[in-house]
Amino acid sequence: MNKQVVVVGGGVIGLLTALNLAAKVERVVVCDQGEVGRESSWAGGGIVSPLYPWRYSPAVTALAHWSQAFYPQLGDRLFASTGVDPEVHVTGLYWLDLEDEAEALAWAVREQRPLTAVDISSAYDAVPGLGAGFTRAIFMAGVANVRNPRLVKSLKAALASLPNVELREHCQITGFAQQDGRISGVHTADGLLEADDVVLSAGAWSGDLLATLGLTLPVEPVKGQMILYKCAEDFLPSMVLAKGRYAIPRRDGHILIGSTLEHAGYDKTPTEQALESLKASAVELLPGLADATPVAHWAGLRPGSPEGVPYIGPVPGHAGLWLNCGHYRNGLVLAPASCQLFVDLLTGVEPIIDPTPYAPAGRLA
């Protein structure tokens, strides 16, 4: 297609949107107010599953299932083309002492997912460092985690190698340009950037940008804090989750513990209170961390949205403006499906899944 497309926001959603678009349109420009991938995409844990998938709507489930099946080939493709391995690491995931275990198992049967109840002794056998006192476990085989900072680095490298893609970092978008009844580009600190189509994928900042058009997008920043330990490579064989907190092993022995859920506006300051809470959760899950010191502690801002259902599709009454945003806690999980669905819609091909639940029409004020 002979189109120039501007993607506003350079997180995983924006970068993968641009990568998919690059094969379909003449030119793609990605603009980010800072460095690409340094906000929510960098800060998250990278579990390739919603934390509690049975608690989400069918709309989220559809995107998650497609993405989970696609991630291994995406990781292989990016590694082969860039030399940067996103480390799609298949470990499986144990949920411990769930209050809604029956609902989880019923969901697994209904959705044909490999989630089963296991004897607690088998969980302790599989995860020798697990803390004492847990009585019940369910396990989903095949669940992976992706090393999200490396995924971002790989996506950035892939885009940088394409002649029809431009990455503009530290490019502040101040509003949208309009001409002849349609969106015709974006206003930046350096002037007008014209486009045939504009894609808003600006994470927690998407609502603020859309407000410049008098539209209300219910996407708001939701702060999350995490800590990181460095252990032996075999310290934690599988991901574990209990009481809303999780431990994620990387291949090199790094262990992520997360995360908090805070409504604090755009404040990303790590706090001592969160640090102590996360350390306590780490020791409860993995007592071997009691004498370890976290090697990092950070915060990020999720793009919170109602029920975690993203907005994917054209903005009614504003031809040329599209959304691919509002993924809340599941941006990394849902990115492959969300970005493929988006490009299907923009280019007019048969969409991979029913786009109706994600359409901005009827969901904006």
Side-chain angles (χ1 to χ4, degrees), residues 132-154:
F134 295 109
T135 60
R136 290 175 292 109
I138 62 174
F139 179 69
M140 186 185 287
V143 180
N145 67 75
V146 62
R147 197 159 185 172
N148 35 307
R150 296 192 180 192
L151 174 64
V152 167
K153 186 177 179 181
S154 185

Side-chain angles (χ1 to χ4, degrees), residues 51 222-227 244-246 257-263 269-271 273-278 281 297-300 302 328-329:
L51 287 186
V222 182
K223 183 178 179 179
Q225 299 188 50
M226 300 186 69
I227 57 176
R245 295 282 170 85
Y246 51 79
I257 305 292
S259 65
T260 65
L261 199 65
E262 308 166 57
H263 292 269
T269 308
T271 65
Q273 180 182 9
L275 175 61
E276 293 307 314
S277 175
L278 289 165
S281 294
H297 170 210
W298 66 89
R302 310 174 183 90
Y328 200 7
R329 305 188 76 173

Side-chain angles (χ1 to χ4, degrees), residues 117-283:
V118 296
D119 189 273
I120 192 63
S121 63
S122 69
Y124 279 103
D125 289 342
V127 187
L130 190 61
F134 295 109
T135 60
R136 290 175 292 109
I138 62 174
F139 179 69
M140 186 185 287
V143 180
N145 67 75
V146 62
R147 197 159 185 172
N148 35 307
R150 296 192 180 192
L151 174 64
V152 167
K153 186 177 179 181
S154 185
L155 285 168
K156 183 178 179 180
L159 290 170
S161 71
L162 297 175
N164 65 331
V165 175
E166 179 185 356
L167 295 175
R168 294 194 182 186
E169 297 181 302
H170 306 288
C171 178
Q172 187 74 41
I173 304 299
T174 58
F176 300 95
Q178 302 184 62
Q179 184 176 350
D180 299 327
R182 64 177 285 120
I183 300 298
S184 57
V186 293
H187 295 292
T188 78
D190 298 321
L192 174 64
L193 179 57
E194 294 183 321
D196 298 294
D197 292 287
V198 174
V199 189
L200 182 56
S201 297
W205 290 264
S206 298
D208 291 351
L209 285 169
L210 208 58
T212 65
L213 294 172
L215 297 172
T216 299
L217 175 71
V219 172
E220 61 177 351
V222 182
K223 183 178 179 179
Q225 299 188 50
M226 300 186 69
I227 57 176
L228 182 71
Y229 293 89
K230 181 64 171 74
C231 304
E233 290 183 16
D234 61 352
F235 178 76
L236 180 61
S238 296
M239 294 180 283
V240 293
L241 192 158
K243 300 180 181 177
R245 295 282 170 85
Y246 51 79
I248 305 171
R250 301 303 197 208
R251 289 178 183 168
D252 64 359
H254 279 99
I255 308 293
L256 285 84
I257 305 292
S259 65
T260 65
L261 199 65
E262 308 166 57
H263 292 269
Y266 289 100
D267 178 17
K268 293 192 298 177
T269 308
T271 65
E272 188 67 25
Q273 180 182 9
L275 175 61
E276 293 307 314
S277 175
L278 289 165
K279 286 166 64 177
S281 294
V283 172

Side-chain angles (χ1 to χ4, degrees), residues 309-361:
V309 178
Y311 297 82
I312 305 171
V315 177
H318 294 79
L321 181 59
W322 301 74
L323 302 184
N324 191 5
C325 58
H327 294 73
Y328 200 7
R329 305 188 76 173
N330 295 310
L332 283 160
V333 185
L334 307 181
S338 296
C339 298
Q340 184 59 56
L341 174 61
F342 173 82
V343 172
D344 291 346
L345 294 172
L346 187 141
T347 57
V349 304
E350 182 71 22
I352 54 167
I353 58 174
D354 179 9
T356 306
Y358 321 101

